[in-house]
Amino acid sequence: MTATVTVTVEEGGAAGGTGPVRLRCTDHGGDGPPLLLLHGLAGHSGEWEALAARFASTHRVIAFDARGSGASTRRPGDVTRAAHVRDVLAVADRFGLAGEDTVLVGQSMGGLTALLAAAAHPEVCRALVLIEAGPAGPSPQLPEEIGAWLDAWPVPFPDVGAAEAFFGGGPAGRAWAAGLAPGPGGLHPRVDRDVMVATVQENAQRHFWDDWDRVRCPVLVVRGENGAMKPVETDGMRARHPGTRIGVIPGAGHDAHLDNTAAVYGEMAAFFARIQA
């Protein structure tokens, strides 16, 4: 049985935080090594439900809405990568997850957060799973692209069916539509456009290869065959971090965890068996 818990992170001062930030967490329960799941930009923790269900018999599974997303604080004052890393530490501490058995799992921007957390705080996790996420950059065009993408959403969506169709249908379309909230005239985003654009500013300005070089735990990198992540990035990651396992999900796009949950589960389960051995 799942349970919902709110974790409060006090903010302040120099980085622009106005605090406190409230993070909505979903505890999927389960026994075994903990998995802490981090969703991507403008997403929500509900994206992980299908994958969490597959791991519930073997792992303790926790997911949370990132600051600025889902049911967490919508307009936090601080959306830096450092703030997102602090959130990972706060959630891990609240649930007693930080330690030698915990695996951080992140997709897209959530994957970058997981990477940075593992690099700066190696004590918080045993292993890392990055889905369509890596250290490449800078990407100067990204803020403009994210703004244009969000501006193109036909808000309000008249109904769930229209939202699912807009987001491409299938499991990914259903998951994105589930992230919307009822409001005047239909369904509305639970994210603020300008907050999402601000969230990717660091990606526009720099790369994260130095952080990748500080990661010491075992890593699985999963990319969709038709996703945004390119082989040159995963090859570079493995060259600098020998032993990194690379998985490619056939037919999947950027939301590989939604497009083919079974294949992502298979890659993760094989990786866990390998590191546990």
Side-chain angles (χ1 to χ4, degrees):
M1 179 178 293
T2 60
T4 300
V5 177
T6 298
V7 173
T8 300
V9 181
E10 297 294 339
E11 298 283 71
T18 56
V21 170
R22 293 178 173 83
L23 304 172
R24 179 185 180 276
C25 307
T26 301
D27 183 353
H28 292 275
D31 295 318
L35 304 181
L36 182 54
L37 310 177
L38 314 180
H39 66 78
L41 186 77
H44 61 103
S45 58
E47 295 176 23
W48 295 112
E49 287 181 359
L51 193 63
R54 290 175 179 267
F55 277 111
S57 63
T58 56
H59 289 74
R60 172 83 186 283
V61 184
I62 306 290
F64 72 96
D65 291 338
R67 59 176 57 213
S69 298
S72 293
T73 297
R74 179 164 177 154
R75 297 181 181 87
D78 186 355
V79 291
T80 60
R81 291 294 91 208
H84 283 82
V85 169
R86 289 197 300 273
D87 293 344
V88 171
L89 301 180
V91 172
D93 181 67
R94 166 61 179 79
F95 289 96
L97 304 185
E100 61 183 14
D101 291 331
T102 299
V103 179
L104 295 181
V105 182
Q107 186 262 345
S108 194
M109 286 293 283
L112 179 57
T113 299
L115 186 162
L116 297 176
H121 302 278
E123 73 283 356
V124 82
C125 66
R126 178 185 184 184
L128 191 58
V129 177
L130 305 177
I131 302 172
E132 282 279 309
S139 302
Q141 75 288 351
L142 189 58
E144 182 178 356
E145 290 177 351
I146 294 301
W149 172 57
L150 291 169
D151 288 340
W153 291 19
V155 176
F157 294 88
D159 53 43
V160 171
E164 290 180 0
F166 176 79
F167 291 117
R174 289 193 294 274
W176 280 95
L180 303 171
L187 300 172
H188 294 255
R190 290 193 293 171
V191 297
D192 183 274
R193 176 202 186 275
D194 293 339
V195 171
M196 294 299 100
V197 171
T199 299
V200 301
Q201 287 298 329
E202 286 181 62
N203 300 68
Q205 298 164 6
R206 72 181 187 95
H207 62 73
F208 300 89
W209 286 106
D210 291 345
D211 301 281
W212 174 247
D213 289 341
R214 288 195 289 273
V215 173
R216 291 291 177 265
C217 64
V219 183
L220 167 65
V221 181
V222 176
R223 66 176 183 85
E225 181 183 20
N226 304 317
M229 194 174 198
K230 304 306 180 188
V232 66
E233 184 175 10
T234 55
D235 290 347
M237 293 171 75
R238 183 156 51 190
R240 296 169 75 140
H241 194 312
T244 297
R245 184 182 177 101
I246 310 295
V248 180
I249 306 303
H254 190 53
D255 291 319
H257 61 310
L258 298 170
D259 293 336
N260 194 337
T261 302
V264 171
Y265 170 78
E267 290 285 351
M268 291 175 60
F271 173 64
F272 294 159
R274 177 183 174 188
I275 63 174
Q276 288 165 6

